[in-house]
Amino acid sequence: MPQQNSGGNYDPENGEDLKKLALIVEQSPSAVLITDRNGKIEFANKKHSILSGYSFEEIRGKNVSILNSRHQGKEIYNDLWSILNDGEDWSGEFRNQRKDGELYWVLASITPYYNSSGEITHFISIQEDISYLKKIELELKQSEEKFRVLFETLPEGIVVTDMDGYILQINQAYLKIHRHENRNELIGKNIRNVLSGDNPLFIEKLFRQAGETGYSMVSDYRLPYDEPVYVDIQVSLMKGEAHGNMGFVVLTGDITESKMAEKALKESEARN
């Protein structure tokens, strides 16, 4: 008895079956590639030609490795062939190379096919072009990296919280200004408790203003250290286009020098 495939009974040795399959896949919106058990290409549809840049005649009879960009380790191909030869389906991502040398990404699903004796004779690969998605993914990672560098190098202290005030992110400047050694000791804590000190009503007022108007007034206060350290602080509400209010951003800056200069000027004026 022939083994049942997900697409029904198909005998690659039967010319009529092959013609029927070719008619179905030729108009498929997905790229379709059929190889024998050794990976020799026996069929490729028009979509595959558009995607790879190779006409079917150019790759007919050649090993499927002609499409390999050599940008992925041998392990992925060893695992692939092991799984397929065991009669299991395989799915995953390939970074292939077009005829013109351009690299492209596909999401591939490969299925073994059997002859009437139940032997694996061919593999059918259905591929979707995901190059655009990979490009977006890369751009997003680069954007995130730029944001991370900017976030960490700004001279202002920045704290990002959720809507309840629990800390999600803290930059290096905030740790330096507020004399904290490790950000991990603050992540997950409520910013109101971290900042309140002897003046919880002052901090709560800033958050209330930000929640009502989008941002608080800029205020300043002295940190509870032996030496004088003054900071200014403002709380802003983060709003997302699709998901509404997302949390708060707390901005702080070290204004100790200006405060001390202001104090010295007042003392000088008082003496005169």
Side-chain angles (χ1 to χ4, degrees):
M1 292 292 292
Q3 183 162 347
Q4 289 287 326
N5 296 295
S6 58
N9 286 329
Y10 162 66
D11 181 4
E13 296 176 350
N14 185 314
E16 289 302 316
D17 279 355
L18 191 58
K19 289 179 181 179
K20 291 176 183 178
L21 180 61
L23 288 174
I24 293 171
V25 301
E26 189 61 39
Q27 301 303 320
S28 171
S30 302
V32 179
L33 193 69
I34 301 177
T35 73
D36 68 9
R37 186 158 187 170
N38 296 317
K40 185 173 69 175
I41 297 170
E42 293 193 1
F43 177 83
N45 70 347
K46 290 181 181 178
K47 183 66 176 181
H48 186 276
S49 297
I50 294 172
L51 184 58
S52 69
Y54 290 100
S55 69
F56 172 48
E57 292 303 321
E58 288 178 296
I59 59 176
R60 184 175 189 175
K62 294 185 179 179
N63 193 279
V64 71
S65 61
I66 190 176
L67 303 171
N68 187 348
S69 67
R70 308 296 189 272
H71 281 75
Q72 290 175 289
K74 293 182 179 179
E75 294 80 8
I76 186 174
Y77 298 102
N78 292 337
D79 290 344
L80 179 155
W81 285 110
S82 176
I83 291 170
L84 292 177
N85 284 319
D86 283 342
E88 301 293 332
D89 293 351
W90 182 93
S91 62
E93 297 177 355
F94 287 130
R95 192 181 189 189
N96 287 340
Q97 183 168 312
R98 287 173 49 85
K99 180 181 177 181
D100 60 10
E102 181 182 351
L103 301 180
Y104 66 99
W105 284 93
V106 296
L107 177 63
S109 296
I110 307 176
T111 302
Y113 264 71
Y114 301 79
N115 62 15
S116 57
S117 300
E119 300 172 326
I120 297 175
T121 59
H122 290 71
F123 298 108
I124 293 187
S125 174
I126 299 176
Q127 305 174 3
E128 301 290 343
D129 185 1
I130 59 171
S131 302
Y132 181 69
L133 295 178
K134 285 292 185 178
K135 181 181 179 182
I136 292 176
E137 180 182 315
L138 176 61
E139 290 175 349
L140 180 60
K141 287 181 179 179
Q142 291 174 338
S143 178
E144 289 174 347
E145 177 64 14
K146 289 177 182 178
F147 170 78
R148 188 192 66 79
V149 172
L150 177 63
F151 183 76
E152 288 296 340
T153 55
L154 283 173
E156 293 82 8
I158 305 174
V159 180
V160 180
T161 78
D162 64 14
M163 286 300 298
D164 295 321
Y166 289 96
I167 298 172
L168 303 175
Q169 292 177 298
I170 304 174
N171 74 343
Q172 193 62 39
Y174 180 90
L175 298 176
K176 181 179 180 181
I177 292 170
H178 291 263
R179 308 296 196 270
H180 293 290
E181 295 293 331
N182 191 330
R183 73 187 70 203
N184 291 331
E185 69 187 36
L186 299 176
I187 297 294
K189 291 186 177 181
N190 196 292
I191 188 65
R192 293 174 174 85
N193 299 331
V194 173
L195 287 175
S196 293
D198 297 327
N199 197 353
L201 295 180
F202 165 70
I203 299 300
E204 186 58 42
K205 180 180 179 181
L206 297 181
F207 275 89
R208 186 173 63 253
Q209 288 177 342
E212 293 172 353
T213 66
Y215 53 88
S216 74
M217 60 183 179
V218 179
S219 303
D220 59 76
Y221 68 106
R222 178 176 174 174
L223 297 180
Y225 303 125
D226 293 337
E227 73 278 15
V229 178
Y230 294 91
V231 299
D232 60 12
I233 180 172
Q234 184 177 32
V235 181
S236 300
L237 181 66
M238 288 193 301
K239 296 182 179 180
E241 294 182 3
H243 303 290
N245 297 337
M246 301 171 60
F248 293 97
V249 177
V250 180
L251 301 175
T252 65
D254 188 340
I255 57 171
T256 303
E257 289 187 9
S258 61
K259 277 289 186 180
M260 298 304 292
E262 180 183 332
K263 180 181 177 181
L265 178 59
K266 288 181 178 179
E267 290 175 350
S268 175
E269 291 175 346
R271 287 194 298 269
N272 295 330

